[in-house]
Amino acid sequence: TRPGGFHSDPAWSPDGRSIAFTAGNGVGEGGRLYVIAANGSRLHGLPDVAEYVAGPRWSPDGRLLAVTGINTCGRACELPGVYVLRNDGSRARKVAEWSVGLDWSPDGRQLVLAAGSLAALALRSGTTRELVSGKDTLNGHESPDWQPR
């Protein structure tokens, strides 16, 4: 079944064979995560890690995806998180509490997270290291892009 509604956040896999994206109707339905072959075949929805997901990013080796997810708990309550899962949707885990933007390190061992400030998250240990301080999300850093030297 093809997802209807609003499609956003397309991201090419490193080998160029697949595209991850999100889709939702934009009216009370959360964004879901999908992967499709670059030729338009083999569309599959990945299991929900949160009510709404956004910004899928492939790991450099193409085996993992990282996404920002939000779960609601009432009118003014949101429980955000950053999730990493295999490209088939298995083994999802929450690795951080919040990020507006994220990107993988070239070696795939860290994520850079943006939520006003920039921080590097070591995936194996779970430790974070602030890279650049920021006062708030709207005036801070939102779209990191980790570049090799």
Side-chain angles (χ1 to χ4, degrees), residues 6-146:
F6 187 77
H7 302 86
S8 63
D9 301 324
W12 285 99
S13 63
D15 65 8
R17 295 181 182 172
S18 300
I19 301 166
F21 67 98
T22 59
N25 70 11
V27 184
E29 179 185 312
R32 292 211 48 220
L33 182 60
Y34 293 86
V35 174
I36 191 168
N39 67 4
S41 67
R42 297 188 323 267
L43 172 73
H44 61 278
L46 300 185
D48 293 331
V49 295
E51 291 174 41
Y52 178 84
V53 295
R57 297 290 177 262
W58 293 88
S59 62
D61 65 8
R63 295 182 327 155
L64 302 172
L65 286 161
V67 296
T68 298
I70 297 174
N71 289 303
T72 58
C73 56
R75 283 184 66 165
C77 177
E78 294 181 345
L79 301 171
V82 175
Y83 299 85
V84 173
L85 60 156
R86 288 189 176 170
N87 63 14
D88 65 1
S90 66
R91 301 193 62 178
R93 65 186 175 112
K94 187 175 183 178
V95 297
E97 291 301 318
W98 180 241
S99 181
V100 178
L102 57 91
D103 197 19
W104 290 88
S105 65
D107 65 7
R109 295 181 186 174
Q110 299 178 78
L111 290 173
V112 62
L113 307 174
S117 62
L118 286 178
L121 169 68
L123 291 170
R124 187 163 291 197
S125 68
T127 59
T128 58
R129 174 175 47 95
E130 186 174 72
L131 303 172
V132 179
S133 177
K135 296 201 183 270
D136 61 51
T137 302
L138 296 177
N139 295 318
H141 311 284
E142 297 181 15
S143 300
D145 186 13
W146 202 311

